[in-house]
Amino acid sequence: MNAFKEKHWLPDEQVVLLAASRHARQNAFDLHFPAYSSQDPKTGEWRFQISVGQFDTASYTGSLTLTSIDPAAPPTLDHGYLTDPAGRDRDTLVHGLEIALDIVGRMSDAGYVASVLAPDTTKRSQEDLVRHLEMSIRTCYHPGCSCRMGQAGDQTSVVDARGTVHGLSGLSVCDASIFPILPRANNNLPAAMLAEMLAPVIGG
């Protein structure tokens, strides 16, 4: 409660909706809807936010570019959001927005929500939702797969099944970066499982 008194925010992600979009593969969910609430310290008004997160993305290639020879200068990071040529990620997230708006609409009908701040509920066309998506998209702070595990001939892989970097001896990696694909869950437990599996191999 001290954090709430200071910041007027509660980390209340206790109920999370998992859902399958129209592009979900293997009969598994690919959408994650965490919920948060906060109170305006001036008005006392409560706000409720439902975020739309996507797992199993097709846009998985970004770039990191150095901006200066100064080692303290921050690089330019492009996550490559919504860059898959087929547009599957964009359509998946728009479907997620539609689901979230349907939930909020039901809450409004039940008297729990007085108004919707964003997106504009008077604009529900695909084009309107795409514009909202493009303006608000960001990371969900569960990065992985940047040092992917795979066979030596795979151009997208960096380490083998033992975590050893291809082409180098004595160098291993054991963290969420070596996941071949992003788990459809928070990364902490999969990373712990990975460490248990590879620690004896790397240590030996």
Side-chain angles (χ1 to χ4, degrees):
M1 293 306 294
N2 290 333
F4 169 70
K5 291 178 181 178
E6 294 176 2
K7 301 181 180 180
H8 297 274
W9 175 79
L10 285 175
D12 51 358
E13 187 186 339
Q14 302 300 321
V15 178
V16 177
L17 170 66
L18 304 175
S21 77
R22 47 183 163 254
H23 292 292
R25 295 181 287 186
Q26 301 176 348
N27 298 318
F29 67 83
D30 57 351
L31 289 170
H32 180 201
F33 299 81
Y36 312 91
S37 61
S38 61
Q39 186 181 33
D40 189 317
K42 296 181 180 178
T43 66
E45 180 183 57
W46 280 93
R47 293 180 178 179
F48 181 72
Q49 172 183 325
I50 300 177
S51 297
V52 181
Q54 180 190 8
F55 294 99
D56 190 26
T57 59
S59 304
Y60 59 84
T61 301
S63 64
L64 183 69
T65 305
L66 299 180
T67 58
S68 169
I69 60 173
D70 179 2
T76 297
L77 175 62
D78 180 4
H79 290 88
Y81 298 137
L82 307 178
T83 55
D84 62 299
R88 180 168 67 88
D89 289 351
R90 182 178 280 100
D91 192 56
T92 296
L93 286 168
V94 166
H95 190 192
L97 284 172
E98 292 170 343
I99 294 172
L101 286 171
D102 182 59
I103 294 171
V104 172
R106 294 170 186 267
M107 295 175 70
S108 298
D109 293 341
Y112 293 111
V113 175
S115 61
V116 178
L117 299 179
D120 187 346
T121 53
T122 64
K123 299 178 179 180
R124 291 287 299 271
S125 71
Q126 291 282 306
E127 292 77 13
D128 293 322
L129 293 180
V130 167
R131 279 193 289 271
H132 174 76
L133 169 64
E134 291 175 343
M135 289 187 299
S136 59
I137 192 169
R138 59 184 183 274
T139 179
C140 64
Y141 305 107
H142 292 281
C145 313
S146 59
C147 189
R148 297 176 66 200
M149 180 186 294
Q151 297 181 355
D154 183 354
Q155 293 293 322
T156 66
S157 71
V158 179
V159 302
D160 62 18
R162 298 167 63 92
T164 303
V165 176
H166 293 309
L168 295 175
S169 60
L171 179 60
S172 301
V173 182
C174 181
D175 57 27
S177 68
I178 72 172
F179 293 152
I181 60 173
L182 192 66
R184 299 179 190 183
N186 292 346
N187 286 345
N188 54 342
L189 290 181
M193 178 196 70
L194 183 69
E196 288 188 359
M197 295 293 294
L198 292 188
V201 177
I202 294 175

